[in-house]
């Protein structure tokens, strides 16, 4: 399998952690891309990473959850997405929470990059404030429901960990740990996993 890859993308990181946790990492060849480049558009018309070219030569898979679902059906390691029932609902819901926090952070980051490129401040309007609210409310929801992050590793946990890792990389000023001691302690333990160390982004 070949993975269109960027070392700082939290979505790519989620896919790689899932691959490592399921023992599939050495089957994935990484194809470094400029996340906002064009070279991967033939594989993914949206030109986003991650995109995974599967072994069977079929069309590339994209959106990180689709790739994670594909990886989850290869081999016989324990599944990261439960096959059914309320456990599946819970894991996918927590995944969506982590994903939404990541989406909000990325939107703020893009604004920052655009500012740097234009050399002048862009309006920080209600839309950007709404993204910060989503990040804080998401973290509050997790702090209030820590039980959803317990148990064997699953895709919900991975999604939350990559979201929090991305906040650490880019948004120190949001201080996500403040007032969320349980979530911070959970992250510290999760971040010690070899899959997290192996996928740590280069420092900002
Ligand atoms: N929903 C997508 C989001 C992927 C995404 O936005 N990736 C960023 C890099 S972190 C990207 O490639 N952005 C380029 C663009 O939006 O044009 C997923 O989960 O895979």
């Amino acid at each position: 399998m070949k993975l269109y890859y960027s070392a700082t993308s939290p979505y790519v990181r989620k896919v790689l952690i899932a691959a490592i946790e399921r023992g599939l990492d050495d089957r994935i060849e990484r194809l470094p891309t400029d996340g906002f480049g064009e070279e991967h558009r033939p594989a993914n018309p949206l030109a986003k990473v991650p995109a995974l070219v599967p072994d069977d030569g079929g069309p590339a898979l994209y959106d990180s959850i689709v790739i994670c679902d594909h990886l989850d059906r290869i081999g016989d390691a324990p599944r990261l997405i439960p096959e059914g029932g309320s456990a599946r609902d819970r894991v996918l819901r927590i995944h969506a929470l982590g994903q939404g926090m990541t989406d909000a952070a990325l939107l703020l980051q893009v604004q920052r990059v655009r500012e740097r490129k234009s050399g002048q401040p862009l309006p920080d309007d209600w839309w950007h404030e709404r993204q910060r609210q989503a990040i804080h409310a998401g973290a509050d929801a997790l702090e209030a429901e820590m039980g959803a992050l317990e148990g064997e590793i699953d895709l919900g946990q991975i999604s939350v960990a990559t979201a929090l890792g991305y906040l650490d990389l880019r948004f120190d000023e949001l201080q996500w740990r403040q007032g969320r001691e349980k979530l911070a302690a959970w992250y510290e333990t999760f971040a010690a996993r070899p899959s997290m160390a192996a996928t740590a982004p280069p420092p900002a």
Side-chain angles (χ1 to χ4, degrees):
M1 293 175 275
K2 294 186 169 74
L3 181 73
Y4 287 99
Y5 161 94
S6 150
T8 52
S9 166
Y11 309 103
V12 170
R13 190 179 193 194
K14 183 177 68 185
V15 163
L16 288 174
I17 293 170
I20 292 169
E21 294 289 347
R22 299 203 75 254
L24 300 169
D25 187 37
D26 58 0
R27 290 175 57 178
I28 297 181
E29 183 190 339
R30 301 178 191 194
L31 305 175
T33 60
D34 167 3
F36 287 90
E38 283 297 321
E39 67 269 37
H40 48 303
R41 200 182 290 279
N44 176 358
L46 306 173
K48 291 178 193 278
V49 291
L52 182 83
V53 182
D55 277 339
D56 65 10
L61 300 173
Y62 41 86
D63 212 286
S64 53
I65 184 142
V66 176
I67 300 172
C68 290
D69 180 60
H70 178 78
L71 297 177
D72 215 26
R73 285 178 282 115
I74 300 175
D76 51 14
R79 301 281 290 253
L80 296 170
I81 308 173
E83 284 180 60
S86 60
R88 180 178 175 83
D89 288 345
R90 174 181 49 77
V91 167
L92 291 178
R93 179 173 60 83
I94 297 298
H95 169 271
L97 196 47
Q99 178 87 356
M101 291 168 68
T102 303
D103 292 344
L106 198 75
L107 195 145
L108 293 171
Q109 175 62 14
V110 168
Q111 168 88 342
R112 200 184 281 179
V113 170
R114 290 180 60 218
E115 267 178 354
R116 261 185 228 137
K117 283 191 174 157
S118 73
Q120 50 193 343
L122 297 172
D124 187 359
D125 58 11
W126 68 270
W127 181 236
H128 299 94
E129 180 53 26
R130 195 164 169 82
Q131 308 312 313
R132 285 187 283 273
Q133 277 176 5
I135 291 167
H136 284 302
D140 285 343
L142 290 164
E143 178 76 7
E145 195 192 354
M146 289 304 299
L149 294 173
E150 279 167 11
E152 293 303 309
I153 186 168
D154 60 40
L155 195 65
Q157 295 177 27
I158 296 172
S159 175
V160 168
T162 50
L164 299 177
Y166 191 65
L167 293 178
D168 279 350
L169 179 70
R170 302 282 193 217
F171 292 99
D172 245 5
E173 74 273 20
L174 291 182
Q175 299 274 299
W176 69 262
R177 289 176 178 78
Q178 206 161 339
R180 303 184 188 107
E181 287 73 22
K182 288 180 277 185
L183 185 60
W186 174 85
Y187 180 69
E188 201 179 323
T189 303
F190 193 96
R193 297 183 80 92
S195 59
M196 286 288 282
T199 58

